[in-house]
Amino acid sequence: MPRTTSLSRRRLLAAGTGLAAGLATGCGAGAGGAPDLDAAAEVPTGDVTLDWWSFRMATADGGDVRETLVRAFSRRHPNIRVNLVEAPANTDITRTTLSTAVASGAPSPDLYMGDVAWPAQFAYNALALPLGSLLPGAFWEGFPDALVRALSFEDEPYAFPFYIDQSYLYYRADLLDKHGLAVPRTWEEVARAATAVRRAGDADMGLVLQGAVYEGLTANVAELVADAGGTVLDPTGGRVTLGGAAGERAFGFLQDALADGVVPAAVATFKEQDSTDAFTGGRAVFLRNWAYVWGVVEGAGSPVAGRVGVMPRPGFDGGGPGGHGCLGGWCNFVNPHAAQPGAAVAFARFCAGEEAQMIIVRDTAYLPALSAARASDEARGSRTPTLALAGEVRLVARPTQSPRYPQVSKALYTRANTVLSGGASAADALAGARADMAAALRGESL
Ligand code: GLC
């Protein structure tokens, strides 16, 4: 009986593209040396403990699906103990914390949940194990192309799919009914309905979204620009395309919404949780947020449960079909210096597989990454509308393919926030965003 089970017969190039690139530029190659891909390809048979940096994922009954996944995994691998390391839920904070820890060569966490916006930066700086040689090509065919592209850098995947986020518009169905208002089909109708309900004194906020100075605002802006028929960068990710009529409409919408009181001034500080709290607290009529938020607004203990509707995001009046939603989500990266790389790969692969993905479908409002799970009868017939409607959303990818994406995104969200905080006009913020994104792409610091 061999001590290990082989996951893959192929062996890797010593270090992988990302490490080579990181070393070549002297950026963050990490202190732990080249990753041990042979070890990563073997599932340990002795007793080991694996540290999984992850955040709580609510189940419909108020539990945490990570515990269910860990129990299911341990039935198959009783010798591998998975220890949950609690991560902050804010993408920018967790990115900074992890990149510092992993670059220093720390062996823990072995595996970490990371944003689908990170792979280019993490690959380039050798902060994630390259996965191309560990998994057969057919493995990746099981997932949406847009997701696999997001998880790859220079054609090599760097993270295991886990769950997908895509955005929706949540609304207070009871308040629309009370005021004889139809479910809005355009942003202009959203603004009118929000104003009518506010004026009647039934809510103090109209539309809430994520407008703080952080990655979430980039996601909001990218989809508003798509609603207006534009893009942020060209398909290569090397040139700024934001501007013109589409840019003006997207930024102009934020400016007008603030001026008209459709979005509250506080939105300039709102992240996912703040906007969700305003909505579940009964203070807002509309909420733009990710799919999993259905499980919160309609979950046990939500004061607005039973009174909420959800739909794909609308478009602009006369601006083509709506239904855009930013592609977000979280995946599992293996620390290239992991103490237990083989166990980490086995668990991450399990979480991407059918058994785990169907647990996500049955127990949560998170959207599975595995296409077969998304298309399963259980998913399509689900009473969770965000899951049943998943195929209707037109996914908008953020331009994450450049290792400089964090700076590009910072340029965009910082300028967009000046509109929401009333500090700049839409036109000035747009011009500033274009200039700052171009500078970020040239490698200049902002
Ligand atoms: C969600 C998304 C992630 C996005 C983040 C922005 O966590 O899954 O992709 O970057 O929100 O706040």
Side-chain angles (χ1 to χ4, degrees):
M1 185 81 177
R3 255 196 65 71
T4 56
T5 315
S6 188
L7 272 180
S8 162
R9 300 254 166 254
R10 281 179 67 197
R11 288 291 178 262
L12 257 199
L13 306 166
T17 331
L19 183 60
L23 286 171
T25 58
C27 57
D36 187 347
L37 287 152
D38 284 350
E42 309 291 339
V43 183
T45 53
D47 287 347
V48 297
T49 297
L50 151 76
D51 286 342
W52 182 32
W53 164 284
S54 51
F55 50 75
R56 181 173 187 279
M57 294 169 62
T59 56
D61 61 3
D64 181 348
V65 80
R66 293 177 304 169
E67 284 163 14
T68 318
L69 294 173
V70 167
R71 272 197 305 277
F73 177 73
S74 73
R75 282 195 287 277
R76 290 170 180 251
H77 299 279
N79 59 311
I80 303 178
R81 191 174 154 262
V82 180
N83 178 39
L84 303 181
V85 180
E86 295 301 328
N90 176 317
T91 182
D92 296 327
I93 294 173
T94 205
R95 179 166 56 82
T96 309
T97 312
L98 272 172
S99 45
T100 308
V102 177
S104 76
S108 175
D110 301 274
L111 183 70
Y112 55 90
M113 258 169 85
D115 195 325
V116 299
W118 299 354
Q121 183 208 356
F122 276 54
Y124 184 79
N125 292 300
L127 302 174
L129 195 76
L131 304 178
S133 66
L134 295 175
L135 297 155
F139 171 84
W140 301 99
E141 289 165 14
F143 304 92
D145 287 347
L147 177 64
V148 176
R149 267 198 305 280
L151 302 186
S152 302
F153 179 62
E154 295 179 344
D155 293 331
E156 169 116 34
Y158 280 83
F160 286 86
F162 188 34
Y163 78 84
I164 288 185
D165 265 335
Q166 57 192 46
S167 53
Y168 289 89
L169 187 69
Y170 296 87
Y171 56 91
R172 286 285 302 280
D174 58 332
L175 293 180
L176 295 186
D177 275 358
K178 176 175 171 190
H179 294 279
L181 296 162
V183 173
R185 286 157 308 161
T186 62
W187 288 115
E188 289 77 5
E189 289 178 8
V190 167
R192 283 196 288 274
T195 303
V197 177
R198 281 185 59 243
R199 289 220 173 113
D202 278 336
D204 51 311
M205 299 177 179
L207 167 68
V208 290
L209 42 81
Q210 297 75 45
V213 184
Y214 85 123
E215 179 62 26
L217 179 51
T218 293
N220 279 261
V221 172
E223 60 199 19
L224 283 171
V225 171
D227 296 339
T231 51
V232 174
L233 299 187
D234 73 346
T236 67
R239 193 171 59 82
V240 177
T241 49
L242 176 69
E248 284 163 19
R249 194 154 196 190
F251 276 57
F253 171 73
L254 296 177
Q255 175 176 278
D256 295 347
L258 178 73
D260 299 342
V262 170
V263 298
V267 102
T269 63
F270 275 10
K271 297 182 179 161
E272 278 82 5
Q273 190 63 47
D274 313 295
S275 50
T276 305
D277 287 349
F279 188 78
T280 49
R283 300 173 61 207
V285 191
F286 296 101
L287 164 70
R288 175 275 177 206
N289 217 332
W290 303 105
Y292 71 87
V293 168
W294 177 260
V296 182
V297 297
E298 279 292 320
S302 164
V304 295
R307 295 191 267 155
V308 177
V310 64
M311 60 183 274
R313 293 171 61 268
F316 285 113
D317 193 10
H324 293 108
C326 184
L327 169 66
W330 289 72
C331 43
N332 280 307
F333 294 78
V334 180
N335 178 347
H337 322 297
Q340 298 298 339
V345 166
F347 181 65
R349 191 170 181 174
F350 172 81
C351 287
E354 194 182 341
E355 181 181 353
Q357 294 282 305
M358 288 309 292
I359 290 174
I360 291 176
V361 168
R362 287 181 197 124
D363 291 4
T364 78
Y366 287 85
L367 301 182
L370 187 70
S371 302
R374 285 164 78 83
S376 65
D377 289 346
E378 271 172 90
R380 282 182 309 172
S382 169
R383 286 169 45 218
T384 302
T386 42
L387 179 56
L389 292 171
E392 289 183 24
V393 172
R394 301 141 73 93
L395 289 175
V396 177
R398 283 162 284 173
T400 56
Q401 63 274 54
S402 157
R404 299 209 171 100
Y405 175 71
Q407 288 75 37
V408 172
S409 179
K410 182 178 174 195
L412 182 55
Y413 64 64
T414 306
R415 293 291 187 161
N417 177 266
T418 61
V419 179
L420 288 171
S421 61
S425 68
D428 287 351
L430 185 59
R434 284 174 54 81
D436 288 355
M437 285 195 291
L441 286 171
R442 288 193 301 271
E444 293 166 22
S445 51
L446 298 175

